[in-house]
């Protein structure tokens, strides 16, 4: 006997979205590319054997390169696999900002998030040189949570 079965399936995200939102008022057209280097080992999720210990070395394969008109499009976004962890996972990235021939700036940003979180790092790509000028990190959460982290 064959019957049609109809069942509603609700998928959940096993990743979070990471965005850098540049708030510079100055022209960013001289910026040609931004390279994102994860500074942590790739995240592993083993739901059927949580005690399994696997060491995954860091790899240059995880590097992401953004080439775009940064004066018009003042943000970059990428997804970070998190798994279905109920704990926040620490994320560490290094960013290299390049013009045509040389690196203009290098900086690191850190945060800790769970899956299904939209993480936004917001601030000036060119720091003003003022000591109190910081990148503001906002986890703007229409997804699951809201979290703000400030750093200097």
């Amino acid at each position: 006997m064959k019957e049609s079965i109809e069942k509603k399936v609700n998928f959940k995200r096993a990743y979070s979205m990471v965005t850098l939102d540049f708030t510079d008022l100055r022209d960013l057209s001289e910026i040609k590319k931004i390279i994102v280097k994860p500074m942590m080992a790739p995240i592993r999720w083993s739901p059927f054997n949580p005690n399994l210990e696997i060491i995954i070395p860091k790899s240059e394969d995880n590097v992401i390169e953004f080439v775009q008109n940064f004066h018009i499009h003042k943000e970059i976004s990428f997804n970070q696999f998190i798994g279905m962890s109920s704990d926040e996972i620490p994320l560490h990235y290094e960013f290299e900002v390049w013009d045509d021939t040389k690196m203009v700036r290098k900086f690191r940003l850190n945060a800790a998030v769970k899956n299904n979180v939209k993480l936004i790092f917001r601030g000036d790509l060119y720091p003003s040189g003022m000591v109190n000028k910081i990148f503001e990190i906002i986890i703007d959460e229409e997804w699951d949570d809201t979290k703000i982290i400030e750093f200097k």
Side-chain angles (χ1 to χ4, degrees), residues 16-34:
S16 287
M17 183 192 306
V18 179
T19 298
L20 266 74
D21 180 18
F22 307 120
T23 57
D24 297 78
L25 296 177
R26 72 177 275 184
D27 183 7
L28 297 179
S29 58
E30 68 188 45
I31 302 301
K32 300 304 178 195
K33 70 179 173 183
I34 296 177

mmCIF file of all heavy atoms in Angstrom, residues 16-34:
data_model
loop_
_atom_site.group_PDB
_atom_site.id
_atom_site.type_symbol
_atom_site.label_atom_id
_atom_site.label_comp_id
_atom_site.label_asym_id
_atom_site.label_seq_id
_atom_site.Cartn_x
_atom_site.Cartn_y
_atom_site.Cartn_z
ATOM 1 N N SER A 16 26.634 31.355 10.619
ATOM 2 C CA SER A 16 26.302 32.750 10.885
ATOM 3 C C SER A 16 26.850 33.595 9.742
ATOM 4 O O SER A 16 27.733 33.164 9.011
ATOM 5 C CB SER A 16 26.901 33.207 12.215
ATOM 6 O OG SER A 16 26.179 32.643 13.286
ATOM 7 N N MET A 17 26.301 34.795 9.578
ATOM 8 C CA MET A 17 26.770 35.705 8.549
ATOM 9 C C MET A 17 27.654 36.762 9.198
ATOM 10 O O MET A 17 27.277 37.345 10.207
ATOM 11 C CB MET A 17 25.621 36.402 7.828
ATOM 12 C CG MET A 17 26.115 37.299 6.706
ATOM 13 S SD MET A 17 24.891 38.426 5.999
ATOM 14 C CE MET A 17 23.588 37.328 5.548
ATOM 15 N N VAL A 18 28.834 36.979 8.626
ATOM 16 C CA VAL A 18 29.768 37.993 9.116
ATOM 17 C C VAL A 18 29.825 39.112 8.084
ATOM 18 O O VAL A 18 30.045 38.858 6.901
ATOM 19 C CB VAL A 18 31.176 37.399 9.330
ATOM 20 C CG1 VAL A 18 32.137 38.476 9.829
ATOM 21 C CG2 VAL A 18 31.127 36.228 10.296
ATOM 22 N N THR A 19 29.606 40.355 8.534
ATOM 23 C CA THR A 19 29.608 41.511 7.646
ATOM 24 C C THR A 19 30.534 42.581 8.207
ATOM 25 O O THR A 19 30.516 42.831 9.409
ATOM 26 C CB THR A 19 28.184 42.091 7.500
ATOM 27 O OG1 THR A 19 27.337 41.104 6.922
ATOM 28 C CG2 THR A 19 28.165 43.330 6.629
ATOM 29 N N LEU A 20 31.335 43.193 7.353
ATOM 30 C CA LEU A 20 32.067 44.410 7.701
ATOM 31 C C LEU A 20 31.370 45.550 6.998
ATOM 32 O O LEU A 20 31.242 45.554 5.771
ATOM 33 C CB LEU A 20 33.531 44.342 7.254
ATOM 34 C CG LEU A 20 34.505 43.850 8.303
ATOM 35 C CD1 LEU A 20 34.361 42.371 8.493
ATOM 36 C CD2 LEU A 20 35.908 44.232 7.953
ATOM 37 N N ASP A 21 30.884 46.515 7.770
ATOM 38 C CA ASP A 21 30.157 47.666 7.259
ATOM 39 C C ASP A 21 31.030 48.895 7.488
ATOM 40 O O ASP A 21 31.266 49.283 8.633
ATOM 41 C CB ASP A 21 28.819 47.777 7.991
ATOM 42 C CG ASP A 21 27.983 48.944 7.527
ATOM 43 O OD1 ASP A 21 28.236 49.481 6.432
ATOM 44 O OD2 ASP A 21 27.071 49.339 8.277
ATOM 45 N N PHE A 22 31.531 49.498 6.410
ATOM 46 C CA PHE A 22 32.439 50.630 6.524
ATOM 47 C C PHE A 22 31.653 51.933 6.548
ATOM 48 O O PHE A 22 30.840 52.187 5.661
ATOM 49 C CB PHE A 22 33.450 50.622 5.373
ATOM 50 C CG PHE A 22 34.170 49.308 5.254
ATOM 51 C CD1 PHE A 22 34.085 48.550 4.100
ATOM 52 C CD2 PHE A 22 34.902 48.815 6.309
ATOM 53 C CE1 PHE A 22 34.741 47.347 3.991
ATOM 54 C CE2 PHE A 22 35.559 47.601 6.220
ATOM 55 C CZ PHE A 22 35.474 46.865 5.049
ATOM 56 N N THR A 23 31.900 52.762 7.539
ATOM 57 C CA THR A 23 31.154 54.006 7.725
ATOM 58 C C THR A 23 31.957 55.228 7.296
ATOM 59 O O THR A 23 31.554 56.356 7.590
ATOM 60 C CB THR A 23 30.742 54.145 9.205
ATOM 61 O OG1 THR A 23 31.922 54.104 10.022
ATOM 62 C CG2 THR A 23 29.794 53.043 9.625
ATOM 63 N N ASP A 24 33.074 55.027 6.587
ATOM 64 C CA ASP A 24 33.931 56.144 6.168
ATOM 65 C C ASP A 24 33.154 57.157 5.334
ATOM 66 O O ASP A 24 32.371 56.782 4.458
ATOM 67 C CB ASP A 24 35.084 55.625 5.296
ATOM 68 C CG ASP A 24 35.996 54.678 6.025
ATOM 69 O OD1 ASP A 24 35.619 53.504 6.189
ATOM 70 O OD2 ASP A 24 37.077 55.113 6.431
ATOM 71 N N LEU A 25 33.401 58.437 5.586
ATOM 72 C CA LEU A 25 32.849 59.492 4.749
ATOM 73 C C LEU A 25 33.774 59.774 3.565
ATOM 74 O O LEU A 25 33.331 60.283 2.549
ATOM 75 C CB LEU A 25 32.651 60.773 5.566
ATOM 76 C CG LEU A 25 31.621 60.664 6.693
ATOM 77 C CD1 LEU A 25 31.558 61.956 7.483
ATOM 78 C CD2 LEU A 25 30.249 60.304 6.133
ATOM 79 N N ARG A 26 35.051 59.423 3.700
ATOM 80 C CA ARG A 26 36.011 59.681 2.636
ATOM 81 C C ARG A 26 35.847 58.686 1.498
ATOM 82 O O ARG A 26 35.241 57.632 1.641
ATOM 83 C CB ARG A 26 37.440 59.672 3.173
ATOM 84 C CG ARG A 26 37.940 58.289 3.541
ATOM 85 C CD ARG A 26 39.376 58.314 4.006
ATOM 86 N NE ARG A 26 40.270 58.260 2.868
ATOM 87 C CZ ARG A 26 41.579 58.193 2.955
ATOM 88 N NH1 ARG A 26 42.155 58.201 4.125
ATOM 89 N NH2 ARG A 26 42.325 58.128 1.887
ATOM 90 N N ASP A 27 36.431 59.028 0.374
ATOM 91 C CA ASP A 27 36.386 58.199 -0.836
ATOM 92 C C ASP A 27 37.183 56.916 -0.616
ATOM 93 O O ASP A 27 38.335 56.957 -0.191
ATOM 94 C CB ASP A 27 36.974 59.011 -1.991
ATOM 95 C CG ASP A 27 36.928 58.291 -3.320
ATOM 96 O OD1 ASP A 27 36.325 57.199 -3.394
ATOM 97 O OD2 ASP A 27 37.485 58.823 -4.292
ATOM 98 N N LEU A 28 36.591 55.773 -0.887
ATOM 99 C CA LEU A 28 37.263 54.484 -0.739
ATOM 100 C C LEU A 28 37.626 53.867 -2.087
ATOM 101 O O LEU A 28 37.948 52.690 -2.163
ATOM 102 C CB LEU A 28 36.371 53.504 0.046
ATOM 103 C CG LEU A 28 36.045 53.877 1.484
ATOM 104 C CD1 LEU A 28 35.141 52.825 2.116
ATOM 105 C CD2 LEU A 28 37.310 54.053 2.304
ATOM 106 N N SER A 29 37.585 54.665 -3.165
ATOM 107 C CA SER A 29 37.817 54.104 -4.501
ATOM 108 C C SER A 29 39.249 53.619 -4.701
ATOM 109 O O SER A 29 39.493 52.806 -5.586
ATOM 110 C CB SER A 29 37.437 55.114 -5.584
ATOM 111 O OG SER A 29 38.186 56.300 -5.428
ATOM 112 N N GLU A 30 40.210 54.077 -3.885
ATOM 113 C CA GLU A 30 41.585 53.584 -4.038
ATOM 114 C C GLU A 30 41.762 52.178 -3.465
ATOM 115 O O GLU A 30 42.730 51.496 -3.781
ATOM 116 C CB GLU A 30 42.585 54.543 -3.385
ATOM 117 C CG GLU A 30 42.471 54.590 -1.878
ATOM 118 C CD GLU A 30 43.338 55.681 -1.251
ATOM 119 O OE1 GLU A 30 43.338 56.802 -1.772
ATOM 120 O OE2 GLU A 30 44.001 55.379 -0.257
ATOM 121 N N ILE A 31 40.818 51.706 -2.664
ATOM 122 C CA ILE A 31 40.877 50.346 -2.132
ATOM 123 C C ILE A 31 40.472 49.387 -3.250
ATOM 124 O O ILE A 31 39.395 49.522 -3.824
ATOM 125 C CB ILE A 31 39.955 50.168 -0.909
ATOM 126 C CG1 ILE A 31 40.323 51.155 0.188
ATOM 127 C CG2 ILE A 31 40.008 48.736 -0.399
ATOM 128 C CD1 ILE A 31 41.737 51.053 0.691
ATOM 129 N N LYS A 32 41.331 48.415 -3.528
ATOM 130 C CA LYS A 32 41.065 47.482 -4.624
ATOM 131 C C LYS A 32 40.635 46.109 -4.135
ATOM 132 O O LYS A 32 39.890 45.415 -4.819
ATOM 133 C CB LYS A 32 42.302 47.339 -5.524
ATOM 134 C CG LYS A 32 42.731 48.637 -6.159
ATOM 135 C CD LYS A 32 41.601 49.268 -6.955
ATOM 136 C CE LYS A 32 42.040 50.598 -7.546
ATOM 137 N NZ LYS A 32 40.931 51.403 -8.025
ATOM 138 N N LYS A 33 41.135 45.692 -2.961
ATOM 139 C CA LYS A 33 40.717 44.388 -2.450
ATOM 140 C C LYS A 33 40.896 44.337 -0.940
ATOM 141 O O LYS A 33 41.707 45.053 -0.364
ATOM 142 C CB LYS A 33 41.479 43.243 -3.125
ATOM 143 C CG LYS A 33 42.945 43.151 -2.756
ATOM 144 C CD LYS A 33 43.603 41.975 -3.464
ATOM 145 C CE LYS A 33 45.112 41.980 -3.232
ATOM 146 N NZ LYS A 33 45.791 40.914 -3.946
ATOM 147 N N ILE A 34 40.112 43.455 -0.337
ATOM 148 C CA ILE A 34 40.222 43.153 1.086
ATOM 149 C C ILE A 34 40.337 41.639 1.200
ATOM 150 O O ILE A 34 39.532 40.894 0.626
ATOM 151 C CB ILE A 34 39.012 43.668 1.884
ATOM 152 C CG1 ILE A 34 38.971 45.201 1.817
ATOM 153 C CG2 ILE A 34 39.070 43.186 3.335
ATOM 154 C CD1 ILE A 34 37.774 45.823 2.514
#
